[in-house]
Amino acid sequence: MPFGLGLGGSLSDPSEWDERVQIVMQGFLTRLSNAQRLMGYGLMLAICGSLLTGCTTNPATGGANFTPFMAPDEEAEIGARAHPKILKAYGGAYEDAALQSYVDRVGGRLRKASDLPDQDLTITILDSPVVNAFALPGGYIYVTRGLMALAQNEAEFAAVVAHEMAHVMARHGAQRHSAAMGTRLVGTLLGSVVGGSAMVNLMGQGGDLVLASYSRDQEFEADAIGMRYLSRAGYEAGASASFLISLGRQSALHARLANQSHDVNRVDWLASHPGTTERIEEAQTLAHKYVEAPHGTRSDPMLYLSAIDGLLYGDAPEAGRVEGKVFSHPVLKFQFEVPNDFHLANTVEAVWSYGPNKSLMRFDHSNRPAAMSLEKYFYDVWGKRLAFRDVVMFNVAGQEAVSGWTRIDGRRSWAVVIAGQGTRTFQFLFGALPQTGTHYDAAFRDTVESFRLLSDAEASAIRARKVKVVAVKAGDSVKSMSARMKLGDALEDRFLVLNGLEQGAALRAGTHVKLVVD
């Protein structure tokens, strides 16, 4: 889960800012250039030509598998080794036995409709608010509770699972791994991350994972195979396109709320998928192939809405909560606020804020030795590899604090450590490009000065938010229903996106909608 008690301490060496900033800004991605990709596949073809035992016919694609470096049992081993790392990075599995049983039933139905009904599949709901789905070799499929909250019905959710299942059945992960070995470029085999602004996507990953993207052709192939499985299993094939439309709307909303530009054709899935508009058009075209099929019997939205009623929404309270520009933690009992033009992101290891001109903030916490002063901890432990200047002692909301300026990764950086209760310490690390001069100093100071400890009453008032499914009554409107949401700003827009509705939509009595409530 984000930031919570499992954070495991702070960035013990702030000089690692260089590496961490690059991870954040690059989205933990190792991308192959077109030339490298072509060279890798070319090498695979050559090797496969000389090692015929490595070339097999794939029942999902109908083509040959060029995976001489990886047998199916090796795929399973890779997935099994990566599984605990994925759980750690995403805050673990979401603990809801009834919901997991429901997901397993959907997955089992799709597997029976697939080209490899005996393929081992493990579908895990990740306890993360990020809208995300991906697959690992060996049949490991992951969906976040954030994605489940966005889907409108079982068919849309099944469309996501079918797409990821298609990657497994087509052995796309194994092909990527083989191509990477052929060019000596090896990445962790993960799939697609969807939704939100670029910053939300990058920050939402958590952990030091390096993601290698699927190729464009593999993504379109997974769309086509997944839609085939979807239709065979009795779902409306058009659900793939409708879910992509919801993703596009959410991406646009998040970009607007974060004061970032949004391109409807940008690559939403961590640069591994074709643009949203293009994929929607392709999905709508493919869906026409299945219109006449006697399927679509599982379109009742209440099958799905009943399953996700009560689903945890957003950050769990024990992990802290982002509320617009404010971050609060009810367990550690503190709060701070960032300026309007900065965007907050709560991750497993820290809270990050991304501002204009690549200005950055990282916030975390740790414990200093009981007999060590805050100043000595600042110099000798937390900042032991940094050369500080202009170090000052001061107070923040009645708490002792120490700060100093340094340079990390070429950035003009300000480090601040604040004493909490007992040996607890809270750390801010800010960075701005040198060409911006002192322009962001005031924003950094305002953020630090906003830090305060919460009273017991204030901390206890921060409660979990959950999805609540309610029936629309006569006289209800988008305005009246969205006013019941506990999400801060842009309530009507959030309500529309959450429920897959267009601007100007009218609610019909007797139907059901999703709300987010305490």
Side-chain angles (χ1 to χ4, degrees), residues 184-255:
R184 297 186 179 181
L185 295 173
V186 181
T188 302
L189 305 178
L190 295 186
S192 49
V193 176
V194 295
S197 66
M199 185 60 184
V200 173
N201 284 341
L202 301 180
M203 294 298 91
Q205 294 308 302
D208 298 330
L209 300 176
V210 180
L211 308 186
S213 62
Y214 290 117
S215 74
R216 176 188 178 84
D217 289 343
Q218 286 174 330
E219 291 302 341
F220 275 122
E221 186 171 58
D223 281 344
I225 295 172
M227 197 172 295
R228 186 167 77 237
Y229 296 169
L230 195 67
S231 180
R232 285 179 184 172
Y235 295 106
E236 294 287 349
S240 296
S242 64
F243 185 73
L244 286 171
I245 291 171
S246 289
L247 284 174
R249 289 173 178 165
Q250 180 188 251
S251 178
L253 175 61
H254 283 189

Side-chain angles (χ1 to χ4, degrees), residues 1-7 129 203 314-339 342-353 361-365 426-428 446-454 458-459 462 465:
M1 66 179 60
F3 193 71
L5 297 176
L7 178 64
M203 294 298 91
D315 294 329
E318 61 269 22
R321 172 181 291 173
V322 172
E323 183 85 50
K325 305 303 177 183
V326 177
F327 180 78
S328 305
H329 203 298
V331 178
L332 301 180
K333 298 180 181 179
F334 69 84
Q335 181 182 89
F336 66 86
E337 183 174 358
V338 297
F342 280 71
H343 180 68
L344 277 170
N346 188 16
T347 74
V348 172
E349 64 171 12
V351 179
W352 291 84
S353 183
M361 178 212 76
R362 176 191 164 109
F363 174 89
D364 60 17
H365 71 91
F426 301 98
Q427 288 90 210
F428 286 97
D446 289 345
T447 300
V448 171
E449 290 173 1
S450 72
F451 179 89
R452 68 183 184 90
L453 299 181
L454 298 176
E458 289 174 319
I462 302 174
R465 287 176 177 156

Side-chain angles (χ1 to χ4, degrees), residues 443-483:
F444 296 162
R445 284 195 300 271
D446 289 345
T447 300
V448 171
E449 290 173 1
S450 72
F451 179 89
R452 68 183 184 90
L453 299 181
L454 298 176
S455 67
D456 291 342
E458 289 174 319
S460 63
I462 302 174
R463 293 175 291 176
R465 287 176 177 156
K466 296 185 176 182
V467 173
K468 182 178 181 180
V469 177
V470 300
V472 176
K473 299 178 181 179
D476 284 337
S477 65
V478 169
K479 183 176 182 179
S480 65
M481 295 297 274
S482 61

Side-chain angles (χ1 to χ4, degrees), residues 182 214 219 354 378 413-414 454 493:
Y214 290 117
E219 291 302 341
Y354 176 60
F378 180 80
S413 301
W414 190 40
L454 298 176
D493 290 336

